[in-house]
Amino acid sequence: MKFNIILFAVAISASTLTFAQETSPKKFSPPAGNAVIGDTYGAGVASTSESKAISVDKLGKKLKKDNKKVENVAIKGKVTDVCEKKGCWLTIQTEDDSQFFVKMKDYAFFVPTALKGKNVVLEGNAERKVISVDEQKHYAEDAKKPQSEIDAITKPKEEIRFVANGIKVVN
């Protein structure tokens, strides 16, 4: 009888350990890749979108005109930063050397860190949005910014947010 109880206890312990291992959080990293010209991520980018892509400056003007939201737009710009944890967001440089933030639609795809410094065409939706202090700090931590820079974030700010359906490296 004691042997059966000990055997039962061992079986329960082993199954609990297996379950804990299966449900433990997985470590992610950005996808591998060199982000060479022609590489696409997500749903890709239509060839017509590539030729009709507007500049970031034109997007800003369009957002002011169209009540802070523009759908189904193609933008061309230079990637200045990529999330180093998963490749789940990136920033695009604007003509006035500011940046805007890009997330992937439905968190459905990620991009390699090699995309940093490349010119891309993005297809998706853009809007002007107020970003909370907590969200700004979260993304600054993801970008591995110095703690002093994170601590300096004390006010919400309005910025362009872009949700990308697809991204293509153009040069």
Side-chain angles (χ1 to χ4, degrees), residues 78-90:
K78 183 177 183 178
V79 177
T80 56
D81 206 1
V82 175
C83 174
E84 292 188 23
K85 285 187 175 182
K86 297 180 190 176
C88 60
W89 56 259
L90 55 94

Side-chain angles (χ1 to χ4, degrees), residues 25-91:
K26 294 180 180 178
K27 293 212 174 203
F28 290 97
S29 61
N34 294 325
V36 296
I37 295 173
D39 281 358
T40 59
Y41 307 95
V45 174
S47 58
T48 55
S49 294
E50 202 173 326
S51 63
K52 293 180 181 178
I54 62 174
S55 69
V56 177
D57 187 47
K58 285 183 183 176
L59 173 64
K61 290 175 184 171
K62 196 168 177 66
L63 285 168
K64 286 180 183 176
K65 179 182 164 192
D66 294 343
N67 294 326
K68 297 188 178 186
K69 192 165 190 176
V70 178
E71 295 187 359
N72 301 319
V73 65
I75 305 297
K76 187 174 183 177
K78 183 177 183 178
V79 177
T80 56
D81 206 1
V82 175
C83 174
E84 292 188 23
K85 285 187 175 182
K86 297 180 190 176
C88 60
W89 56 259
L90 55 94
T91 55

